[in-house]
Amino acid sequence: MSITMGTTLASLVTNKRRVSALKSLGIVTVGDALTYYPFRVTEPVPLRAIREAAPGQQMAFAAVIRDMRVVPMNARRGYRLEATVDDADFARSRRVPGSTARLTFFSYRKSYVDWVSVRLRAGTSVVVSGMPGEYMGQLQFTHPEILTVAPVPAGAGAGLEGYARGAASGNGAFAGSADPYASAQSAYPPAATAPSGAALKYDADTVQEALTRVCRPRPVYHASSRISSEHIHETILGLLWMMGARTSSTPDGQLAGAGAAGIVAPATDTIAVQNGEEKSGTTAESGAEALSQSIPDVLPESVRKAKNLMHRAEAFLAIHDPASTARFKEAIETLRYEEAFVSQTSLLKARSHAHKSAAHSCPLVTDSLRDQFIASLPFSLTAGQQQVIHDIAADLAHDWPMQRLLQGEVGSGKTVVALAAMLQAVDAGYQAVLVAPTQVLAEQHAETIGRMVEQLKPAIPVTLLTGGMKLAARRKALAAASSGEPGIIVATHAAFSKTFQAPHLALVVIDEQHRFGVEQRESLNAKTDDGTTPHLLVMTATPIPRTAAMTWFGDLDISWLTELPGGRKPIRTVVVNEADAATMGRMFAHIRARVDTGERAYIVCPRIDADDEENEGGSGVSAAAGSARGRAAASGSSARTAAGGRATRAAADAIGIDDPYETFDENGETVARPPLHAVAEIADRLQKLPQFQGIRFATLTGRDKDDVKTQVMADFAGGETPILVSTTVIEVGVDVKQASCIVIFDADRYGLSQLHQLRGRVGRGGTNSWAFLISRAEPGSPAEQRLEVIHHSLDGAEIAQADLEFRGAGDVLGDAQSGGKSSLKLLRVVKDADMIADARTRAEQLLAADPELAGEVQLAGAVLDFTRGNETFLTSS
């Protein structure tokens, strides 16, 4: 069976529970597994004889089991297993006297104790790795790592010959020349034979192999309660073996040298198919060739040599089975540059492709609708708005499609800029579509735009199209669009449906563009009847650091609106420890006082129901939650999130945190955290407080029907229900000018940019305003440090920069439709700026010589995968 990066694990791994556990981490194919990078690598474990042991310092040694006993624990249920080991032969190789130590294991499970007992029978040769301690005057290793070594067949002789020399070529832990222990295995008693009727499985064939395995640097992966880092590592090594790897990558830069440590063939009860059925039938050299054929290089050979980078297959091997920590870092740098090169090539190709398309030219005319509109505004445009409107006007006059990203702070006047652009298209005799992510926002846009253009001559038709409209109204809106009459159409996702046709469409404006996928946006290109591509203006209030924007939006022209219109007062941000009851009480009293003066308050919770089954602390939440990415990403992101596969649409609606900053312990296990607060729970608690007696509350979540959402927002804006308890559904575009307070529960679990977005829901009417961030973060923790950033800054770019540095780059891009993570798992936007610039320069040179990448088939495929799997837009971060 030929195994490729696209082969599914389900077809290779026989342990279905493990397949399911890996899937929950987003690992479905071989490629997913190989790009599930460890977040750290352990330092090499030094070899020491028992007499050289230092309490509290990791060590490894070879020994023989002298005796073993199982003792029931009377004071508490369970068992204690104790084994005495003797390292006389190994100590002789270290030129020190031999000694003994105790290995101790505790367990409540008799089955586990029985399993360990069989492995540690008297006479068994073992290699031990662990942290020594002292108990009752004797050296003790508690729950050490144990590898059992197969006994040497009679007459085999020097089973350990060359052990020191071979190991010395690994990580330096085995330095030495002639090894007096090399022929000592024959001195081990032959008692370690399988009991009658049983076939014991040994972990290693030789002591040298076992010592190499426990002493080498070991990658540590983000794990979960369902699968450990060790089992993830075991699976990945098994896959590498099946693809042809037989030894680790060696420091000379070649795959699989003769002296390198071998990768053990996977057990047939774990792996169903094995490439090369006999372990001894494949040489290191042929294994290296097979691996490089299974994992072809993506980078052009000229680029790889110029940058002195590893082959891709070699890099995967050095990451998942590193010969040294330096080798691991070198491999990470190789794949980090690969990500930079693929992403930049993709963006440059997209930009080149866009300029080859045809678009309707929309030049400005005398006494234009745009100029009438600007003159009718009751306020003066900021200098930034004037500049962006001018730039867009120049773009629209071209006969190739504009592709512009407009990033503006919450309340910076993006809607005015977008309307000016749409009026220019209408003036030229064409249609313009504004696509909003929610019905509430679409209705607000339609109402606002209709009011702004009602005095213009000639009259401008404004059509609203949403999925929640009644059938008759929907048919009327679709008919107006399909007529081709010049005008403005405001729509939700309904604009992407097959029933929507706009034959004279010249401009598409996407509001909060991270909510829509590439395929959805490109579907609008098919709405025209003459094959032209509409001009595209995408807008976001998500803060984008300039370094990130220039890096990831290289296919778009970028405009920033940094000035806020006059009259906006700064929002006062207060971080409140939830355990501080006195401060919480004062906060609620303050909110009641503001409500009594006619103002409104938002209370935001991340979950809808207290009994949502999704693990809110895991990155499946991150992947599901907001039409956001995912991802990181991790990684360098990425990852960092342990994964995206298990999230469902219902989970995305139920949990509104876009990145809960999952935390892990030193072994990669997720750290349990308190359950997230839910809308129903908080609404019930607050209504019982004396501060809110006589006040009506309303609730709003993503599960509510569109007509319910509309009515709830109308009642909130009108003051019938002045306190709204909601999920982050209010994050985007909701504009209630009387809202002056927002309380965000579990603020320590949100991304900084998302907190900044939520904070922007208040203070829109010129009144004093407050944002209260309720936190359960530990003092001095990274979560507390993040909140200090949002506490002290109102600058979206500064906050976004800090968010990137906290998160890593893997969360910057994502696929909102799949809920998956970004494939950028290692690249760091901030720290790798120079690398990205270098990759962009080299990609430009390559594309100048070979625009279609005809000579770089693997790179072309990677670029296509990147384009499909990574939207060139920000997630809701």
Side-chain angles (χ1 to χ4, degrees):
M1 176 180 178
S2 177
I3 301 173
T4 67
M5 296 287 279
T7 304
T8 61
L9 296 189
S11 65
L12 303 176
V13 179
T14 55
N15 186 330
K16 299 309 176 189
R17 292 182 66 181
R18 183 173 296 189
V19 171
S20 176
L22 290 168
K23 185 177 180 181
S24 73
L25 299 179
I27 304 172
V28 178
T29 66
V30 172
D32 294 334
L34 296 186
T35 56
Y36 192 79
Y37 301 118
F39 68 94
R40 69 179 178 93
V41 64
T42 62
E43 291 296 324
V45 178
L47 284 179
R48 291 184 183 138
I50 292 176
R51 286 200 181 261
E52 299 172 303
Q57 295 183 15
Q58 194 83 9
M59 61 176 282
F61 62 95
V64 177
I65 304 292
R66 289 308 180 197
D67 61 66
M68 183 271 298
R69 63 174 185 154
V70 176
V71 182
M73 293 186 289
N74 296 324
R76 49 182 178 155
R77 65 187 182 87
Y79 305 87
R80 181 178 76 253
L81 184 148
E82 296 178 349
T84 302
V85 293
D86 179 355
D87 76 336
D89 297 312
F90 176 75
R92 192 177 309 122
S93 74
R94 305 277 301 172
R95 296 181 175 86
V96 296
S99 187
T100 61
R102 182 191 295 122
L103 311 182
T104 305
F105 301 84
F106 299 92
S107 181
Y108 293 112
R109 291 186 297 138
K110 185 65 163 61
S111 58
Y112 171 78
V113 173
D114 291 342
W115 176 74
V116 176
S117 299
V118 171
R119 300 182 75 225
L120 303 187
R121 289 171 298 104
T124 302
S125 303
V126 294
V127 165
V128 180
S129 174
M131 192 88 72
E134 189 174 335
Y135 179 70
M136 297 183 67
Q138 185 175 5
L139 198 68
Q140 174 173 283
F141 293 82
T142 304
H143 284 275
E145 179 181 1
I146 301 288
L147 294 184
T148 57
V149 180
V152 178
L160 298 177
E161 186 173 0
Y163 131 72
R165 295 186 298 277
S169 68
N171 57 33
F174 309 96
S177 51
D179 184 5
Y181 186 46
S183 60
Q185 179 140 350
S186 58
Y188 279 7
T193 56
S196 177
L200 274 183
K201 292 181 180 178
Y202 294 94
D203 300 314
D205 292 336
T206 65
V207 172
Q208 174 189 335
E209 177 188 317
L211 284 171
T212 301
R213 284 170 57 187
V214 300
C215 291
R216 290 165 61 83
R218 187 169 314 175
V220 182
Y221 303 82
H222 287 315
S224 71
S225 58
R226 299 181 60 187
I227 186 168
S228 67
S229 174
E230 279 296 318
H231 283 157
I232 294 171
H233 188 212
E234 175 187 281
T235 302
I236 294 174
L237 287 184
L239 295 172
L240 286 169
W241 193 92
M242 294 164 65
M243 297 177 84
R246 293 298 180 269
T247 60
S248 171
S249 68
T250 58
D252 62 3
Q254 301 297 317
L255 278 172
I263 294 180
V264 179
T268 53
D269 59 352
T270 300
I271 298 292
V273 181
Q274 295 185 1
N275 184 14
E277 295 177 359
E278 292 300 325
K279 185 179 177 183
S280 60
T282 306
T283 66
E285 290 73 15
S286 64
E289 183 180 347
L291 187 63
S292 60
Q293 289 176 354
S294 299
I295 308 175
D297 215 346
V298 168
L299 288 174
E301 184 73 9
S302 58
V303 173
R304 187 168 69 83
K305 288 185 176 179
K307 297 293 293 180
N308 194 28
L309 302 173
M310 297 179 177
H311 186 283
R312 192 177 200 223
E314 180 188 3
F316 280 136
L317 198 54
I319 286 173
H320 296 296
D321 190 36
S324 67
T325 53
R327 194 76 175 143
F328 174 86
K329 292 174 182 176
E330 185 182 346
I332 289 289
E333 286 301 297
T334 290
L335 294 179
R336 183 172 285 146
Y337 190 88
E338 178 189 289
E339 288 185 357
F341 195 86
V342 170
S343 64
Q344 295 308 300
T345 304
S346 175
L347 292 174
L348 290 168
K349 277 184 64 67
R351 188 179 186 89
S352 173
H353 176 74
H355 283 189
K356 294 176 182 177
S357 303
H360 291 299
S361 175
C362 303
L364 273 176
V365 297
T366 305
D367 191 26
S368 66
L369 288 169
R370 190 202 75 168
D371 292 342
Q372 289 183 48
F373 161 64
I374 293 173
S376 71
L377 291 172
F379 52 84
S380 298
L381 296 179
T382 66
Q385 287 174 312
Q386 293 177 30
Q387 182 61 51
V388 174
I389 289 174
H390 174 77
D391 292 342
I392 291 174
D395 288 347
L396 291 176
H398 294 145
D399 58 2
W400 64 81
M402 170 182 73
Q403 288 194 297
R404 183 170 291 274
L405 170 69
L406 175 58
Q407 192 277 320
E409 285 282 0
V410 174
S412 60
K414 296 186 298 297
T415 304
V416 170
V417 172
L419 182 51
M422 290 190 287
L423 289 173
Q424 185 172 336
V426 173
D427 228 356
Y430 300 109
Q431 296 169 292
V433 173
L434 170 61
V435 186
T438 67
Q439 176 164 326
V440 170
L441 186 53
E443 290 172 345
Q444 285 187 1
H445 277 316
E447 180 183 353
T448 301
I449 291 172
R451 195 167 57 246
M452 286 180 164
V453 303
E454 62 185 359
Q455 302 300 324
L456 302 184
K457 302 296 182 184
I460 308 299
V462 179
T463 304
L464 175 65
L465 175 63
T466 71
M469 297 173 70
K470 292 185 177 180
L471 184 59
R474 181 181 173 84
R475 285 177 174 171
K476 184 178 179 180
L478 289 171
S482 62
S483 71
E485 178 187 2
I488 294 172
I489 303 161
V490 181
T492 57
H493 290 72
F496 305 120
S497 69
K498 293 180 180 178
T499 57
F500 175 72
Q501 295 297 324
H504 294 160
L505 183 60
L507 172 64
V508 175
V509 180
I510 303 287
D511 192 16
E512 293 304 332
Q513 44 80 40
H514 59 268
R515 304 279 176 158
F516 303 101
V518 165
E519 290 183 3
Q520 287 181 310
R521 294 201 300 274
E522 289 182 347
S523 72
L524 291 173
N525 294 344
K527 305 299 183 183
T528 60
D529 61 356
D530 52 11
T532 57
T533 299
H535 297 282
L536 177 66
L537 174 65
V538 291
M539 306 192 300
T540 182
T542 301
I544 309 169
R546 288 181 181 254
T547 53
M550 298 306 293
T551 299
W552 302 125
F553 296 91
D555 60 331
L556 303 176
D557 296 307
I558 306 170
S559 298
W560 279 272
L561 287 177
T562 56
E563 303 168 79
L564 293 181
R568 292 294 296 270
K569 295 183 178 179
I571 302 167
R572 304 174 197 180
T573 304
V574 182
V575 179
V576 181
N577 188 319
E578 189 173 344
D580 185 350
T583 303
M584 292 283 286
R586 290 195 301 273
M587 176 189 72
F588 291 133
H590 171 81
I591 293 171
R592 174 60 187 262
R594 305 313 304 176
V595 168
D596 286 343
T597 64
E599 296 172 7
R600 314 281 186 270
Y602 296 105
I603 311 289
V604 178
C605 305
R607 285 169 51 177
I608 297 177
D609 301 315
D611 58 351
D612 286 323
E613 293 182 0
E614 292 292 325
N615 174 11
E616 66 278 4
S619 51
V621 176
S622 172
S627 20
R629 135 312 268 106
R631 349 188 174 224
S635 59
S637 133
S638 267
R640 168 185 48 284
T641 87
R646 68 178 178 275
T648 64
R649 182 68 249 171
D653 290 337
I655 302 174
I657 290 182
D658 73 322
D659 189 339
Y661 288 104
E662 190 165 15
T663 54
F664 303 90
D665 63 19
E666 62 179 10
N667 295 317
E669 301 284 349
T670 52
V671 176
R673 293 181 294 182
L676 296 168
H677 289 300
V679 167
E681 163 214 352
I682 292 298
D684 181 62
R685 284 170 51 185
L686 295 186
Q687 289 179 83
K688 295 176 181 178
L689 293 177
Q691 291 95 327
F692 296 122
Q693 289 302 307
I695 297 293
R696 290 187 60 193
F697 281 67
T699 61
L700 182 68
T701 74
R703 288 182 189 165
D704 293 330
K705 294 182 178 179
D706 287 335
D707 57 343
V708 173
K709 292 178 182 176
T710 301
Q711 186 60 50
V712 167
M713 290 307 301
D715 291 345
F716 177 65
E720 292 184 35
T721 51
I723 297 181
L724 178 62
V725 185
S726 76
T727 59
T728 54
V729 70
I730 59 117
E731 174 188 352
V732 173
V734 173
D735 188 3
V736 177
K737 300 199 182 307
Q738 300 91 337
S740 63
C741 295
I742 184 167
V743 178
I744 305 172
F745 279 91
D746 296 304
D748 52 301
R749 307 274 285 275
Y750 288 80
L752 291 183
S753 295
Q754 192 179 23
L755 288 175
H756 183 60
Q757 281 269 63
L758 288 166
R759 179 171 60 180
R761 295 308 102 206
V762 298
R764 304 172 75 85
T767 60
N768 291 323
S769 54
W770 292 263
F772 298 98
L773 310 181
I774 312 303
S775 168
R776 290 183 280 185
E778 295 292 329
S781 66
E784 186 181 65
Q785 295 169 22
R786 288 196 304 271
L787 291 182
E788 282 303 300
V789 173
I790 200 88
H791 176 207
H792 293 293
S793 179
L794 293 171
D795 184 333
E798 179 184 328
I799 291 167
Q801 186 81 4
D803 210 11
L804 270 181
E805 291 170 0
F806 278 119
R807 291 168 178 261
D811 296 306
V812 175
L813 297 180
D815 186 335
Q817 280 61 56
S818 71
K821 295 189 303 179
S822 163
S823 67
L824 291 172
K825 301 181 179 182
L826 298 173
L827 202 59
R828 303 161 301 185
V829 171
V830 179
K831 295 181 180 178
D832 295 330
D834 291 343
M835 176 186 289
I836 293 164
D838 179 89
R840 190 174 185 87
T841 299
R842 294 179 188 275
E844 286 174 340
Q845 295 169 353
L846 176 67
L847 289 172
D850 185 4
E852 299 303 320
L853 299 178
E856 299 292 344
V857 177
Q858 295 301 327
L859 176 61
V863 166
L864 182 61
D865 290 341
F866 178 88
T867 304
R868 288 173 173 171
N870 293 273
E871 315 290 36
T872 46
F873 59 91
L874 286 192
T875 65
S876 174
S877 52

